[in-house]
């Protein structure tokens, strides 16, 4: 059974950091482009960052550039999202996903999703 499971969410204060992890089971995550999305109630799920299976530099939404870093750990079959200098507007449910195709961009991520994780809540509040 193909599965993605996120972990690492929680409640932090503005300026603090969190590291989200997405563990894959039943398949090799390195064979896929992967992405992180976030969603707040009443709004569409939005792409935050992605890594292409074909290589190349990671992609980030403008709102998180310079603060978030996406990375893979092939030995653990995981993809992570390091989130630094968190802001209240980063509060959302964060989802990881596999993406169809060998190349990803922030603007084209959502229609290319193959499989979703269940999501993890991130709350940034003082």
């Amino acid at each position: 059974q193909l599965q993605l499971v996120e972990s690492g969410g929680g409640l932090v204060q503005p300026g603090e950091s969190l590291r989200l992890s997405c563990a894959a089971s039943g398949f090799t995550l390195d064979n896929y482009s992967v992405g992180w999305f976030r969603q707040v109630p009443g709004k569409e799920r939005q792409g935050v960052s992605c890594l292409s299976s074909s290589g190349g530099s990671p992609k980030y939404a403008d709102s998180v550039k310079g603060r978030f870093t996406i990375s893979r750990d092939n030995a653990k079959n995981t993809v992570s999202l390091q989130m630094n200098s968190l802001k209240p507007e980063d509060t959302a449910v964060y989802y990881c996903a596999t993406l169809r195709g060998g190349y990803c961009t922030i603007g084209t991520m959502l229609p290319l999703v193959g499989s979703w994780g269940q999501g993890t809540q991130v709350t940034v509040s003082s």
Side-chain angles (χ1 to χ4, degrees):
Q1 182 179 2
L2 306 184
Q3 193 174 18
L4 294 169
V5 178
E6 299 97 335
S7 61
L11 170 64
V12 296
Q13 294 188 346
E16 294 185 338
S17 299
L18 275 176
R19 186 177 182 86
L20 305 182
S21 184
C22 174
S25 59
F27 67 102
T28 301
L29 197 56
D30 190 40
N31 292 336
Y32 292 81
S33 298
V34 292
W36 284 94
F37 297 77
R38 65 187 182 187
Q39 187 172 27
V40 297
K43 294 192 175 181
E44 188 178 57
R45 202 165 292 188
Q46 294 183 325
V48 174
S49 181
C50 69
L51 270 175
S52 300
S53 61
S54 59
S57 59
K59 303 297 188 292
Y60 298 98
D62 288 343
S63 58
V64 307
K65 278 180 183 175
R67 300 188 297 122
F68 290 13
T69 303
I70 190 172
S71 61
R72 295 182 191 264
D73 186 332
N74 294 332
K76 296 181 179 179
N77 207 25
T78 61
V79 59
S80 296
L81 186 69
Q82 177 67 40
M83 306 186 296
N84 298 329
S85 302
L86 283 161
K87 304 175 181 180
E89 51 264 42
D90 294 318
T91 296
V93 178
Y94 283 72
Y95 300 87
C96 66
T98 59
L99 307 173
R100 293 185 295 273
Y103 180 74
C104 69
T105 66
I106 297 301
T108 61
M109 287 171 64
L110 190 57
L112 296 178
V113 170
S115 298
W116 290 104
Q118 85 287 353
T120 186
Q121 176 71 45
V122 171
T123 303
V124 185
S125 175
S126 55

